[in-house]
Amino acid sequence: MVSSKTLYTFMQRFVTYGRAYSFLVPQLASVIGSSPLFRDQNCTIAAHAERSMDVAAHVFSASIEEFRDPRTAVSHRTLSYALLDKLAEYANLTPAEVNQIAQAGAWLPKVLEEVREGYAARPDDLGSLVRAIGFHAGAETIGSNECSIINAVFFSEQKKNSFGQFIRRSKVQYPQGVVSPWYWIAIHGTFETRGVEADHSDDALLALNQAIQYSNATEEQIGEWARQGFAHFIDVQMLFFRRVQQELQESVQALAAAS
C-alpha cells in the first residue's frame, strides 16, 4: 500500500485532471448544438432540417451528473473534493500542506491544455466536431476502467486494513443527506458494477452514429475523424498517468534520500 500522503497526491492530481472534462463536455455540446452542419436529408422542408441538438444531446448527457448527481443531489465535483478532504484527514495533512501539494505538479497544466485541445471544435468545421466527439467517446469508454482500477487497488484490496476501515466509517454530511466519501469513485464504475461512464460511452457512440446520419460525409470519413479523436484521448490519458507516476516516484526517492 502506498503512503497516505502519496495516495492523497495521486487523487488530487486525478481530481484536477477529471475537473477539466467536467466543464468541457457541456461546452462541446453547446458548440455542436450551434452548428448548422447536422441536417436530416429526408426532411421535406429544408429550413426545418437542422438536427444539431439531437447530436448534442448525446454528448450533453454525460454532463448531467456532473451538475447534479441523481442519487445525492450533489455535483460530482463537490463529491470529489469531499473525498480529498477525507484523504487529507487520513494522511494527517495540514491545510498548508494540502495547498502546497495542490500548487506543485508543474507538469499538470500541459496535460490539461491537451484535454482542452481534444474537446476543441468549431461549429462550421465537421471534422473538428467529429474528432471532438471521438475524443469524448474515448474518455467515456476508458473512464469506468480507470475508476474500477482505483477502486480495486485502493479500496477493495484494502477493506480490512486501516485505510479500508477509515473509508467505511467515514461519512460526508450534505443538506441532502449522508454520503460515503468513496461514492465519487464507485459511481463511475467498479469491476462488479456498471457505472455512469458506461451509459455515457453508449451515448457518445450514438452521437457518432447520428453524425453519420445527419451529415454529408461518408461513414468512412466520420469513422476516420472519430478514430483520430479517440487516439488523441489515448495519448493524453497515457501522458497523464505517465507524468503522475513520475512525480510520485521522484517524491518517494526524495524522501528516501532525506531519511
Side-chain angles (χ1 to χ4, degrees):
M1 178 66 180
V2 299
S3 73
S4 56
K5 182 177 180 180
T6 299
L7 173 57
Y8 174 83
T9 302
F10 169 77
M11 288 304 303
Q12 195 280 335
R13 301 295 185 253
F14 185 70
V15 166
T16 303
Y17 177 58
R19 176 183 180 277
Y21 289 86
S22 69
F23 63 80
L24 288 170
V25 171
Q27 179 175 300
L28 173 59
S30 178
V31 173
I32 295 169
S34 70
S35 173
L37 301 181
F38 298 109
R39 306 182 64 79
D40 184 354
Q41 304 302 320
N42 296 319
C43 185
T44 56
I45 303 177
H48 301 171
E50 190 248 301
R51 296 292 183 269
S52 296
M53 286 299 285
D54 296 70
V55 181
H58 292 301
V59 173
F60 184 76
S61 66
S63 68
I64 294 173
E65 288 96 348
E66 296 295 335
F67 289 104
R68 189 175 186 273
D69 179 77
R71 297 165 183 81
T72 65
V74 180
S75 74
H76 276 193
R77 187 176 300 173
T78 295
L79 291 169
S80 71
Y81 289 142
L83 174 58
L84 290 183
D85 285 342
K86 289 298 182 180
L87 294 179
E89 177 185 338
Y90 179 72
N92 293 315
L93 297 172
T94 66
E97 289 172 323
V98 168
N99 289 332
Q100 185 178 26
I101 291 171
Q103 292 165 10
W107 57 269
L108 196 51
K110 170 60 178 174
V111 176
L112 300 182
E113 180 58 34
E114 289 289 337
V115 178
R116 284 189 285 270
E117 290 182 10
Y119 275 102
R122 301 196 308 275
D124 60 347
D125 183 339
L126 183 62
S128 75
L129 291 167
V130 176
R131 279 190 292 269
I133 298 173
F135 186 93
H136 171 64
E140 298 301 341
T141 301
I142 302 300
S144 62
N145 292 331
E146 63 191 15
C147 285
S148 295
I149 293 170
I150 290 172
N151 181 71
V153 172
F154 293 130
F155 181 66
S156 294
E157 295 179 6
Q158 313 293 333
K159 283 184 178 180
K160 295 182 180 179
N161 70 11
S162 60
F163 177 71
Q165 293 173 7
F166 172 82
I167 287 296
R168 293 174 78 173
R169 69 173 178 264
S170 294
K171 302 298 178 185
V172 181
Q173 179 71 54
Y174 296 104
Q176 300 90 334
V178 177
V179 182
S180 165
W182 201 249
Y183 173 82
W184 180 70
I185 294 294
I187 195 60
H188 287 90
T190 71
F191 288 131
E192 296 79 28
T193 62
R194 176 183 171 92
V196 296
E197 304 288 46
D199 293 331
H200 300 166
S201 175
D202 291 345
D203 277 343
L205 295 179
L206 286 174
L208 289 173
N209 285 333
Q210 286 198 330
I212 296 170
Q213 179 183 356
Y214 294 138
S215 74
N216 291 322
T218 64
E219 182 175 349
E220 290 73 20
Q221 180 63 79
I222 295 292
E224 174 58 22
W225 284 330
R227 186 201 64 78
Q228 292 170 4
F230 198 104
H232 184 189
F233 168 75
I234 296 298
D235 289 342
V236 174
Q237 185 83 337
M238 291 179 64
L239 175 62
F240 169 77
F241 282 105
R242 192 164 56 242
R243 294 304 302 272
V244 73
Q245 180 183 31
Q246 180 182 353
E247 179 188 5
L248 296 179
Q249 287 176 337
E250 290 174 352
S251 176
V252 170
Q253 291 167 357
L255 286 175
S259 61

